[in-house]
């Protein structure tokens, strides 16, 4: 018999899960904790197999609680319960040590499937989550590590700098204020990780930007 | 009732300024004084009067503020303390009328600080009393009656220490009575208004207008019908005897007819007489061109006609009160009119119209409630922020004073040493140089402090603007959370129950009604999620700006029309949550503009943060627009962005080229 701990401050949600679980064969609801502190106290005494963890608790933020639970409980399978379907929250939850996540308006079958999959060591994602968004999210994260993409204005300014124009003349040419040019130049140096205009132009040339 | 009260309290607050030049303001002569006066005191006083006249009476606000600023500069350079307090009073009254509570409170607080230094005890007490009275007024207008009472009582304490002045005392008594009336402690109100009786002969006639108003109300509310009747008689005689200008006389007439009508309605219950009085009330309001009073009078006429069962006549006049009330934002009167209309329609068996107005009434009372809550929230925020800034400023001021003392002491020491020392000339010379250097450093520090104070003061103005916007965002966050936790949780649970039920009774699966309900619950719960997300994305609160913008970019890019990419540099630590929300809204609005108007296929959002500098770039490859003559919709989108950038103390530059694209760049200085 495997046991479930539900952490959710909404009384009805606890009841709903209890209803779903009551005639499942090899799982039982061990307890419902209404706050993060209550859950941490409970986990000092007991070790449930699953934790269904609400992300909005009155005392500790669910994402933070996930890290704290994971620190002292390596084996427990944590499934986040959210009422939002936001990619940023989901990826953060998974990197904080959760094994999966379910949307709160899940169906009974989905809950069973989630528990089975995380038991087998897989990551479970609610079917309502747009997988594509998640994949895309990952791909863009990787893209962030690569060479920075320059804006159109930045490219123009880089070329003009390369041609030997000074900040004020560039401002005149592009009908912008020198202050704006200066900001663009500072942004460029930060993006390309250099400290002087000389280095900036070198990196630009090496990367065939000019 | 709100407007009326606001009007009364204001009247009292402004007495000081009116009295200086009597009742008729002669613009030319004041300008002459400004141009020719030899004494600075006279000139500043005239400038202040002129500024107040321009702002309050001629409605030429920018010009008035300019004169006011000049008066301030002159008063400040000549250290004219009394005039400085009047400057703060006039400015705070102006801000009060703009609903800028934080600004108004700030000026009154500064007025108190300046007042402390006025050597003349009478003038000092007077200035402190006035600022206390007006601080109370601000709390009163915002519905914080207990806060107002506290200030009024403090003002009373001050007045008691000053030489006897009937006008200051009775001003406070009238105001206190008014607070007690709001708190429905009518016996208390009656008690305070009675305290004025012995001073009546010394009191100025202008102050009698609000005095008799409160006196009558307190008599009516405590069931003293006969006394109330006598009060009305005194007021009626006052038309001949009181020394009032035309406008004040009109106010008195409006007040008299309204109160006479109320007297007939509640005490004698002679509704015909009441109707007649209310018709005079309407006539005098129309003569005075006072739109607010016109609405009140029409509503009152409606109540009298209702009591006379003359429903056919009551309906059109109440409808007018309702419509005009709405146009003037007098929600309480539109609400009262709508309620009465619903009642009358129901009585005359016109259910359809009755139902309509009953619904309107419910809608109005909802919107009044939420508007008041928002107002309350903003006021609380303004109070909190002002207090915080004041604390910082006073702390710096203290430091500054300590440093000044240090410099003085050092100067004295140097003097002593240079006279006494002849033997240890060399040693002293060294010491002197050392001390001198330190003195220079101390003076530099002091200059820095002064600059910092100036900066903080500017910040304070920005904060009061911010608090308004923040109030809105706080409310959005709260509603989104309530939706998620409350309604969202409920729908989820219903769905769980359905799912369990379906498992227990498989036959239900073929039941079309069950399947349909199941699906509708699902849709409803998705809808709640969507609404809450639009109000305030959870990712923004929990994980911050970059993640939230990342999510936003993906959901836009998923639509295939526009690809938005994000680049963030130096954004590892989070900004303050209000700044994050504000920046999120700015970018949201800019992306909206791009999608709606630009026809772009690509956009880049870029954050660059180095130390305190944050620059945000939003660029697209759309068709661009002429920044000078942009069309209405783009313009309104951009101006809301511009406002928010200003709130954050930022600079924005838009550079747009036809058929190439638009680059919007914003620079901020981030305070931590």
């Amino acid at each position: 018999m495997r046991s479930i701990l539900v952490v959710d401050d909404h009384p009805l949600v606890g009841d709903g899960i209890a209803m779903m679980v009551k005639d499942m064969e090899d799982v039982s609801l061990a307890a419902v904790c209404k706050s993060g502190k209550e859950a941490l106290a409970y986990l000092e005494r007991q070790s449930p197999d699953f934790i269904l963890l609400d992300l909005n608790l009155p005392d500790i933020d669910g994402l933070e609680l996930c890290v704290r639970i994971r620190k002292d409980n390596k084996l427990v399978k944590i499934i986040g319960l959210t009422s939002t379907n936001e990619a940023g929250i989901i990826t953060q939850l998974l990197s904080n040590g959760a094994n999966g996540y379910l949307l709160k308006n899940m169906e009974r079958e989905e809950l069973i499937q989630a528990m089975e999959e995380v038991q087998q060591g897989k990551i479970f994602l609610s079917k309502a989550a747009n997988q594509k968004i998640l994949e895309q999210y990952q791909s863009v994260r990787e893209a962030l590590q690569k060479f920075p993409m320059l804006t159109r204005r930045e490219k123009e300014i880089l070329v003009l700098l390369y041609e030997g124009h000074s900040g004020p003349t560039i401002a005149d040419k592009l009908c912008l204020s020198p202050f704006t040019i200066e900001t663009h130049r500072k942004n460029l140096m930060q993006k390309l990780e250099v400290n002087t205009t000389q280095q900036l132009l070198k990196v630009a040339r090496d990367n065939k930007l000019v | 009732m709100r407007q009326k009260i606001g009007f009364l309290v204001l009247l009292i607050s402004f007495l000081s300024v009116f009295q200086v030049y009597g009742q008729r303001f002669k613009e030319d002569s004041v300008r002459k004084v400004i141009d020719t006066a030899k004494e600075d005191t006279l000139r500043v006083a005239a400038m202040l009067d002129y500024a107040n006249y321009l702002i309050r009476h001629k409605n030429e606000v920018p010009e008035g503020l300019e004169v006011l600023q000049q008066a301030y500069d002159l008063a400040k350079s000549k250290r004219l303390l009394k005039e400085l307090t009047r400057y703060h009073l006039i400015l705070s009254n102006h801000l009060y009328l703009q609903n800028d509570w934080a600004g108004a409170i700030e000026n009154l607080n500064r007025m108190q600080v300046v007042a402390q230094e006025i050597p003349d005890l009478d003038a000092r007490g007077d200035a402190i009393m006035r600022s206390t009275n007006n601080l109370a007024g601000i709390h009163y207008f915002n519905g914080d009656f207990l806060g107002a009472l506290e200030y009024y009582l403090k003002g009373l304490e001050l007045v008691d220490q000053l030489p006897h002045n009937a006008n200051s005392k009775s001003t406070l008594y009238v105001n206190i009575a008014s607070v007690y009336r709001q708190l429905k402690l009518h016996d208390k109100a009656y008690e305070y208004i009675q305290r004025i009786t012995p001073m009546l002969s010394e009191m100025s006639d202008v102050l009698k207008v609000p005095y008799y108003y409160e006196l009558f109300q307190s008599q009516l509310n405590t069931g003293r019908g006969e006394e109330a009747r006598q009060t009305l008689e005194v007021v009626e005689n006052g038309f001949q005897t009181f020394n009032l200008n035309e406008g004040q006389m009109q106010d008195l007439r409006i007040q008299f007819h309204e109160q006479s009508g109320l007297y007939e309605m509640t005490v004698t219950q002679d509704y015909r007489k009441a109707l007649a009085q209310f018709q005079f009330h309407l006539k005098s309001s129309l003569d005075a061109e006072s739109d607010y009073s016109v609405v009140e009078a029409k509503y009152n006429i409606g109540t009298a006609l209702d009591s006379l069962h003359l429903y056919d006549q009551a309906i059109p006049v109440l409808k007018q009160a309702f419509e005009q009330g709405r146009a003037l934002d007098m929600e309480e009167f539109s609400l009262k009119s709508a309620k009465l209309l619903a009642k009358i329609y129901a009585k005359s068996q016109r259910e359809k119209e009755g139902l309509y107005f009953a619904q309107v009434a419910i809608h109005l009372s909802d919107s009044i409630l939420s508007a008041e809550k928002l107002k309350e929230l903003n006021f609380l925020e303004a109070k909190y922020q002002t207090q915080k800034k004041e604390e910082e400023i006073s702390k710096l001021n203290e430091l500054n004073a300590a440093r000044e003392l240090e410099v003085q002491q050092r100067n004295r020491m140097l003097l002593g040493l240079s006279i006494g020392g002849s033997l240890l000339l060399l040693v002293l010379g060294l010491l002197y140089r050392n001390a001198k250097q330190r003195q220079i450093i101390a003076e530099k520090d002091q200059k820095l402090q002064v600059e910092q104070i100036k900066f903080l003061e500017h910040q304070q103005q920005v904060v009061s603007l911010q608090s308004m916007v923040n109030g809105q965002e706080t409310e959005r966050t709260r509603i989104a959370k309530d939706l998620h936790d409350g309604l969202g949780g409920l729908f989820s649970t219903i769905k769980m129950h359905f799912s369990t039920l379906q498992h227990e009774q498989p036959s239900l699966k073929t039941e079309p009604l069950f399947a349909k309900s199941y699906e509708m619950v699902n849709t409803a719960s998705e809808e709640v999620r969507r609404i809450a997300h639009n109000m305030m994305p959870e990712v923004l609160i929990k994980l911050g700006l970059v993640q939230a913008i990342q999510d936003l970019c993906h959901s836009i890019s998923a639509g295939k029309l526009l690809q938005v990419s994000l680049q963030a540099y130096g954004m590892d630590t989070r900004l303050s949550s209000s700044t994050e929300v504000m920046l999120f809204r700015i970018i949201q609005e800019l992306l909206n503009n791009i999608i709606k108007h630009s026809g772009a296929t690509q956009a880049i959002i870029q954050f660059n943060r180095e130390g305190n500098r944050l620059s945000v770039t939003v660029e697209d490859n759309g068709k661009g627009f002429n920044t000078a003559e942009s069309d209405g919709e783009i313009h309104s989108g951009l101006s809301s962005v511009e406002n928010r950038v200003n709130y954050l103390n930022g600079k924005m530059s838009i550079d747009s080229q036809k058929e190439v694209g638009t680059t919007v760049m914003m620079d901020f200085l981030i305070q931590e």
Side-chain angles (χ1 to χ4, degrees):
Chain A
M1 197 68 159
R2 291 169 298 159
S3 57
I4 307 178
L5 166 69
V6 173
V7 188
D8 196 320
D9 62 323
H10 202 300
L12 289 175
V13 174
D15 292 352
I17 293 174
M19 286 274 287
M20 282 182 167
V21 169
K22 76 171 185 252
D23 60 346
M24 289 186 191
E25 279 162 15
D26 56 346
V27 253
S28 70
L29 182 64
V32 178
C33 293
K34 297 210 182 305
S35 70
K37 289 204 180 105
E38 205 182 320
L40 288 171
Y42 178 85
L43 288 170
E44 285 190 3
R45 291 175 275 116
Q46 306 284 334
S47 353
D49 298 293
F50 299 104
I51 299 176
L52 295 181
L53 176 64
D54 177 26
L55 295 190
N56 285 319
L57 294 168
D59 53 350
I60 308 172
D61 182 75
L63 291 173
E64 156 82 23
L65 184 62
C66 185
V67 176
R68 281 164 69 173
I69 294 177
R70 183 50 85 210
K71 207 174 103 222
D72 298 323
N73 305 271
K74 299 290 179 222
L75 295 178
V76 67
K77 302 293 180 193
I78 304 175
I79 300 176
L81 276 184
T82 74
S83 42
T84 59
N85 195 5
E86 295 176 18
I89 299 276
I90 297 163
T91 34
Q92 188 64 50
L93 176 70
L94 297 179
S95 61
N96 283 9
N99 302 80
Y101 100 99
L102 279 166
L103 280 177
K104 271 192 186 171
N105 61 354
M106 61 196 163
E107 294 174 4
R108 186 175 177 278
E109 288 67 30
E110 209 180 358
L111 175 62
I112 297 176
Q113 191 195 351
M115 288 192 292
E116 270 170 13
E117 290 196 2
V118 297
Q119 185 68 32
Q120 293 163 13
K122 292 184 195 162
I123 296 282
F124 179 86
L125 298 174
S126 170
K127 69 178 176 193
N130 194 333
Q131 292 279 354
K132 275 194 186 131
I133 288 183
L134 284 180
E135 284 159 18
Q136 202 181 12
Y137 189 81
Q138 209 52 41
S139 73
V140 174
R141 267 207 157 170
E142 283 155 17
L144 260 183
Q145 323 296 324
K146 288 183 203 153
F147 193 80
M149 176 170 29
L150 300 190
T151 68
R152 181 181 61 252
R153 262 301 177 225
E154 285 169 350
K155 282 181 205 154
E156 279 173 355
I157 290 167
L158 205 52
V159 169
L160 288 168
L161 278 173
Y162 189 73
E163 287 170 359
H165 297 285
S166 71
T169 29
I170 297 178
D172 275 353
K173 266 188 183 315
L174 298 180
C175 301
L176 293 175
S177 88
F179 181 77
T180 309
I181 303 293
E182 187 55 23
T183 311
H184 278 303
R185 199 176 56 83
K186 276 190 197 153
N187 290 350
L188 271 168
M189 296 201 323
Q190 187 187 28
K191 284 167 84 166
L192 302 180
E193 296 171 342
V194 295
N195 296 321
T196 64
T197 310
Q198 252 55 46
Q199 289 171 332
L200 178 68
L201 294 177
K202 185 177 180 306
V203 173
R205 198 175 50 234
D206 293 350
N207 287 283
K208 303 200 167 53
L209 293 171
V210 286
Chain B
M1 221 49 207
R2 253 235 147 105
Q3 271 80 15
K4 180 91 189 179
I5 294 154
F7 159 74
L8 273 181
V9 173
L10 268 184
L11 184 76
I12 298 166
S13 314
F14 279 102
L15 270 180
S16 62
V17 187
F18 279 117
Q19 281 173 340
V20 179
Y21 265 81
Q23 282 150 12
R24 278 192 197 282
F25 191 90
K26 295 194 182 64
E27 195 173 342
D28 293 339
S29 61
V30 171
R31 286 171 88 157
K32 206 168 158 197
V33 174
I34 296 178
D35 292 338
T36 58
K38 295 220 169 51
E39 290 242 359
D40 289 323
T41 327
L42 262 181
R43 176 178 296 152
V44 174
M47 282 162 93
L48 288 169
D49 287 332
Y50 186 47
N52 186 53
Y53 171 74
L54 285 176
I55 297 171
R56 294 264 300 127
H57 295 267
K58 288 193 80 177
N59 212 15
E60 289 172 7
V61 176
E63 293 83 354
L65 287 177
E66 209 186 304
V67 177
L68 193 60
Q69 184 61 42
Q70 288 163 0
Y72 172 78
D73 292 340
L74 189 55
K76 179 113 193 178
S77 68
K78 306 280 176 193
R79 267 187 73 79
L80 304 175
L81 299 173
K82 255 203 285 193
E83 284 68 25
L84 278 176
T85 60
R86 277 195 57 212
Y87 159 81
H88 286 301
L89 185 67
I90 293 171
L91 186 55
S92 100
N93 283 341
H94 166 65
L95 295 171
Y96 171 90
L97 290 174
Q98 306 288 315
N99 288 358
D100 175 0
W101 315 123
I105 293 175
E106 182 203 332
N107 272 290
L108 291 172
N109 283 339
R110 287 216 215 155
M111 178 175 169
Q112 297 210 326
V113 174
V114 178
Q116 300 291 357
E117 293 176 35
I118 299 181
D120 176 27
L121 282 182
D122 286 0
R124 184 195 298 175
D126 190 59
I128 296 177
M129 190 281 286
R130 280 187 207 290
S131 55
T132 315
N133 182 56
N134 284 17
L135 277 169
I138 292 174
H139 285 260
Y140 185 119
F141 185 76
N142 279 287
D144 177 7
F145 299 119
L146 289 176
L149 194 58
E150 208 173 296
Y151 275 113
Y152 282 134
L153 292 175
K154 205 165 115 192
L156 207 53
E157 210 176 292
L158 283 165
V159 166
D160 282 338
Q161 291 163 9
L162 296 177
H164 175 76
N165 178 331
N167 284 335
S168 321
K169 247 187 213 181
S170 27
T171 298
L172 286 163
Y173 285 142
V174 169
N175 280 341
I176 292 172
S178 175
V179 173
Y180 277 124
R181 175 166 56 77
Q182 288 295 329
L183 292 169
K184 304 233 174 344
L185 296 170
H186 298 306
D187 289 328
K188 275 274 182 197
Y190 184 74
E191 183 193 321
Y192 269 92
I193 207 77
Q194 288 301 323
R195 292 197 194 177
I196 297 177
T197 320
M199 297 182 283
L200 213 51
S201 55
E202 310 164 59
M203 204 164 102
S204 83
D205 284 349
V206 186
L207 194 53
K208 285 184 183 161
V209 182
Y211 162 70
Y212 282 116
Y213 180 86
E214 289 300 336
L215 178 64
F216 174 83
Q217 292 294 351
S218 71
Q219 288 163 338
L220 202 65
N221 288 333
T222 50
R224 295 177 163 87
E226 181 49 29
E227 281 184 32
R229 196 187 56 74
Q230 286 166 8
T231 303
L232 288 175
E233 256 173 39
V234 177
V235 174
E236 199 172 9
N237 290 331
F239 293 143
Q240 268 81 51
T241 54
F242 290 168
N243 174 22
L244 297 174
N245 70 18
E246 191 47 39
Q248 291 157 347
M249 204 47 111
Q250 278 176 332
D251 284 343
L252 189 67
R253 227 169 258 135
I254 294 173
Q255 180 177 319
F256 169 73
H257 290 304
E258 178 176 24
Q259 294 194 323
S260 303
L262 287 176
Y263 171 77
E264 303 295 354
M265 285 293 282
T266 50
V267 181
T268 62
Q269 302 194 336
D270 182 339
Y271 302 125
R272 293 226 162 260
K273 275 194 189 160
L275 182 61
Q277 285 296 349
F278 286 143
Q279 269 154 353
F280 281 124
H281 177 195
L282 178 60
K283 189 179 171 304
S284 43
S285 308
L286 288 169
D287 288 345
E289 290 173 21
S290 163
D291 296 341
Y292 288 109
S293 307
V294 167
V295 174
E296 287 177 52
K298 285 185 175 167
Y299 170 75
N300 285 335
I301 291 175
T303 60
L305 287 168
D306 173 44
S307 303
L308 289 165
H309 306 293
L310 297 170
Y311 300 136
D312 286 345
Q313 293 177 42
I315 287 173
V317 80
L318 282 170
K319 270 190 177 164
Q320 286 174 16
F322 170 73
E323 306 270 322
Q324 290 173 355
R326 290 205 81 165
L328 292 169
D329 279 337
M330 297 170 67
E331 280 108 343
E332 299 217 30
F333 271 91
S334 342
L335 174 63
K336 276 156 87 178
S337 307
K339 276 186 178 165
L340 192 54
L341 275 169
K343 212 175 88 191
I344 292 176
Y345 274 125
K347 275 193 256 179
S348 33
Q349 264 96 47
R350 290 163 70 176
E351 275 80 11
K352 207 172 140 205
E353 286 106 325
L355 190 65
Y356 169 74
F357 276 103
Q359 277 168 348
V360 168
I362 291 172
H363 178 74
L364 265 176
S365 76
D366 277 357
S367 75
I368 290 175
L369 196 69
S370 59
E372 277 188 357
K373 276 268 167 292
L374 202 63
K375 196 170 151 192
E376 213 173 286
L377 207 74
N378 284 336
F379 181 56
L380 272 180
E381 171 102 15
K383 270 201 296 195
Y384 168 72
Q385 295 286 11
T386 315
Q387 195 186 354
K388 223 171 68 180
K389 286 286 172 207
E390 288 291 340
E391 273 166 19
E392 256 174 84
I393 290 175
S394 78
K395 223 184 271 166
L396 274 176
N397 273 335
E398 263 169 40
L399 254 174
N400 215 356
R403 214 163 290 258
E404 220 164 74
L405 202 69
E406 207 178 302
V407 173
Q408 266 178 15
Q409 280 170 349
R410 190 157 288 134
N411 279 340
R412 251 178 245 147
M413 188 186 81
L414 287 175
L415 197 70
L417 282 180
S418 56
I419 293 169
S422 60
L423 270 174
L424 299 168
L425 204 60
L426 190 68
V427 185
L428 273 184
L430 279 175
L431 263 180
Y432 176 80
R433 252 181 58 188
N434 195 358
K436 181 81 187 167
Q437 252 162 9
R438 264 197 253 157
Q439 187 192 358
I440 290 169
I441 292 171
E443 272 168 3
K444 249 189 204 160
D445 270 7
Q446 195 189 355
K447 231 186 223 168
L448 266 176
Q449 301 266 355
V450 169
E451 268 165 26
Q452 205 168 348
I453 291 174
K454 265 197 199 141
F455 173 72
L456 277 173
E457 283 173 348
H458 171 67
Q459 274 305 96
Q460 198 167 11
Q461 286 166 2
V462 174
V463 160
S464 58
L465 286 171
Q466 267 178 349
S467 65
M468 224 173 68
V469 178
N470 278 349
Q472 228 176 43
E473 297 291 0
T474 319
E475 190 68 2
R476 279 192 188 163
T477 312
R478 195 187 59 73
I479 295 173
K481 194 173 172 324
D482 283 356
L483 278 177
H484 269 315
D485 295 356
L487 210 51
L490 210 56
F491 275 127
S492 305
T493 320
I494 298 174
K495 229 191 125 189
M496 286 183 204
H497 286 308
F498 270 155
S499 168
T500 315
L501 198 63
Q502 185 179 307
H503 171 72
E504 282 170 357
Q505 298 181 21
S507 65
L508 274 175
K509 264 190 195 157
T510 54
E511 182 66 54
L513 205 55
F514 178 82
K516 184 90 191 154
S517 316
Y518 198 173
E519 198 190 311
M520 279 166 79
V521 169
N522 202 22
T523 317
S525 114
E526 291 291 334
E527 192 65 4
V528 170
R529 197 199 329 267
R530 195 184 56 79
I531 295 170
H533 176 79
N534 282 346
M535 281 214 149
M536 186 63 67
E538 203 155 315
V539 62
L540 178 57
I541 302 297
K542 279 193 199 292
L543 300 175
L545 181 63
V546 177
Q547 298 275 27
I549 295 291
Q550 185 82 70
D551 276 17
L552 185 63
C553 293
H554 289 316
S555 57
I556 293 175
S557 302
K560 299 287 177 211
L561 287 174
L562 174 71
Q563 292 297 314
V564 193
S565 31
L566 168 70
Q567 310 201 74
Y569 300 92
M571 296 290 287
D572 307 320
T573 46
R574 286 189 62 173
L575 307 167
S576 81
S577 66
S578 61
T579 309
E580 287 195 334
V581 172
M582 201 87 80
L583 287 170
F584 183 81
R585 300 283 179 221
I586 289 173
I587 293 168
Q588 211 176 18
E589 183 64 43
L590 287 171
L591 285 173
N592 249 342
N593 264 355
I594 294 176
I595 294 168
K596 272 203 225 148
H597 307 291
S598 79
T601 54
Q602 302 230 324
I604 298 180
I605 297 165
Q606 181 172 305
F607 296 107
N608 288 82
R609 181 171 179 194
E610 274 177 307
N612 283 342
R613 181 185 80 95
L614 170 66
S615 114
V616 183
T617 316
V618 179
E619 187 178 88
D620 66 61
N621 65 348
K623 60 178 185 234
F625 58 90
N626 186 336
T627 41
E629 44 165 275
S630 58
D631 81 69
E633 253 190 286
I634 298 182
H635 191 73
S636 85
L638 281 179
S639 82
S640 105
V641 169
E642 208 163 4
N643 280 338
R644 287 176 191 272
V645 172
N646 285 340
Y647 291 157
L648 288 177
N649 243 348
K651 280 204 184 76
M652 173 161 98
S653 78
I654 302 170
D655 117 53
S656 190
Q657 281 173 280
K658 285 264 179 207
E659 310 311 326
V660 176
T662 304
T663 310
V664 177
M665 188 145 114
M666 294 156 282
D667 283 278
F668 306 94
L669 265 183
I670 301 295
Q671 273 95 45
E672 274 163 294

